[in-house]
Amino acid sequence: MSSSIKTTLFTDVSVAAEMLRSGRLVAFPTETVYGLGADATNSDSVARIFESKGRPRFDPLIVHVHDASAAADLVTEFPETAQKLAEAFWPGPLTLVLPKKDHVSDLVTAGLAGVGIRVPGNDTARELIKLADRPVAAPSANPFSGISPTCAQHVMDGLGGRIDGILDGGPCRIGVESTVVSLLDNKPTLFRPGGLPVETIEEVIGPLHRLPVQQPADTAAQPAPGMLSRHYAPDTGLRIISADTTAVPVPGKRCGLLTWGPSHESGEWQQIERICAGDDLRQCAANFFAALRSLDAQNLDVIIARSFPETGLGLALNDRLQRAAHT
Ligand code: TXA
Ligand code: MG
């Protein structure tokens, strides 16, 4: 975007609600990452989300509501599986894709038959939605394909000058985006691993189907068009090593390490980000994106990242690493 606007940073929820009501773009905290909010019923505002992020129009937006009954107003069907999941996990880091009603704008859903909905597990976010008195469309508040923001300053760094305001609600508790599950047909399907572990969902509704690997079609013609191969990516190249390998820097290169647990590395590193001293994947998730940003700011030749166990939040973290590493 060429022209720059003034982005205000504040902590008053009612100011943010008034801004949303008058069609402005306001970033707000959720328990996962900061969202870039707009009135989901105002097409001009929704269009500005895509412009300010540089996001392709084929990538649909999640609609945030303050409770499950507000979610039911947006869909033609709220099946039993959705009810079970909503009861168990809302408010929380779970997005459900359900058949949309006509009044939900095609701009929000990128022309798809389903709308992604969630009730965020953050009191400030729900209060904001309630005060705004309308559904709030919000992607993560970062420029397209960049690293998701887990505090207000991250949002300012990425979108300052392009959005109207940022509601500062402190750091995000979970640190990775919501888990996206489609209930469009009788097979509940995982569209994106995220802040709610798959195993926890499966305890409630049984096995989730997985999408076939989406390659190489990074386009609109797929059920979960937002799952692009390159995403959540630092500017610096990133290489993944397996969890049990000793990390060694590339000779002659400025290397940074993203790691967890006790030392598993040797050699000279420009910077080491140990996001958790033990193996607590929740702590890893909470610190993950901030560590990636910090490494990306060091002007390194390469970031080497240790992968995570493929269980619990490790699934989402490995997914983000793979997309960050994709060139
Ligand atoms: O935790 C989160 O989900 C955060 C906070 C702000 O709520 N939001 C977020 O939004 O991560 P975004 O736009 O960065 O990622 C949403 C993902 C994308 O991969 C998108 O394609 C998918 O959800 N999605 C949204 N609506 C969809 C729909 N109707 N059908 C299929 N996929 C959908
Ligand atoms: Mg995003």
Side-chain angles (χ1 to χ4, degrees), residues 27-218:
F28 64 97
T30 82
E31 80 281 32
T32 57
V33 301
Y34 272 70
L36 175 57
D39 174 354
T41 66
N42 179 332
S43 297
D44 288 342
S45 307
V46 173
R48 274 191 63 210
I49 288 184
F50 289 92
E51 278 164 31
S52 64
K53 281 187 55 118
R55 177 175 174 123
R57 291 280 180 109
F58 64 70
D59 192 358
L61 305 175
I62 295 173
V63 178
H64 297 69
V65 291
H66 77 272
D67 65 15
S69 77
D73 289 345
L74 301 173
V75 301
T76 56
E77 236 186 296
F78 202 76
E80 204 189 324
T81 318
Q83 280 168 30
K84 277 191 191 162
L85 290 173
E87 226 162 83
F89 303 120
W90 279 353
L94 173 68
T95 294
L96 297 179
V97 180
L98 290 159
K100 81 175 189 79
K101 276 192 181 147
D102 283 347
H103 71 80
V104 177
S105 145
D106 282 334
L107 197 54
V108 169
T109 64
L112 296 171
V115 56
I117 309 175
R118 85 179 189 100
V119 179
N122 171 300
D123 293 345
T124 306
R126 283 200 313 287
E127 195 187 341
L128 171 65
I129 298 161
K130 211 163 179 184
L131 286 175
D133 195 24
R134 59 207 61 205
V136 175
S140 53
N142 53 277
F144 176 63
S145 87
I147 302 172
S148 296
T150 52
C151 67
Q153 187 58 48
H154 294 165
V155 181
M156 190 60 98
D157 294 345
L159 294 176
R162 300 201 229 171
I163 64 176
D164 301 296
I166 302 171
L167 174 62
D168 188 349
C172 301
R173 184 168 52 85
I174 292 181
V176 288
E177 301 83 350
S178 62
T179 304
V180 181
V181 171
S182 170
L183 300 176
L184 284 179
D185 51 32
N186 293 328
K187 304 182 301 192
T189 303
L190 179 69
F191 274 9
R192 176 178 71 181
L196 183 65
V198 167
E199 299 90 330
T200 311
I201 298 173
E202 291 183 330
E203 278 168 22
V204 175
I205 59 162
L208 281 177
H209 292 259
R210 311 296 167 106
L211 282 179
V213 178
Q214 294 179 1
Q215 277 182 351
D218 275 353

Side-chain angles (χ1 to χ4, degrees), residues 8-48:
T8 50
L9 181 65
F10 53 88
T11 55
D12 186 338
V13 190
S14 60
V15 172
E18 208 35 62
M19 287 174 92
L20 286 177
R21 291 173 67 86
S22 60
R24 308 261 174 78
L25 294 191
V26 185
F28 64 97
T30 82
E31 80 281 32
T32 57
V33 301
Y34 272 70
L36 175 57
D39 174 354
T41 66
N42 179 332
S43 297
D44 288 342
S45 307
V46 173
R48 274 191 63 210

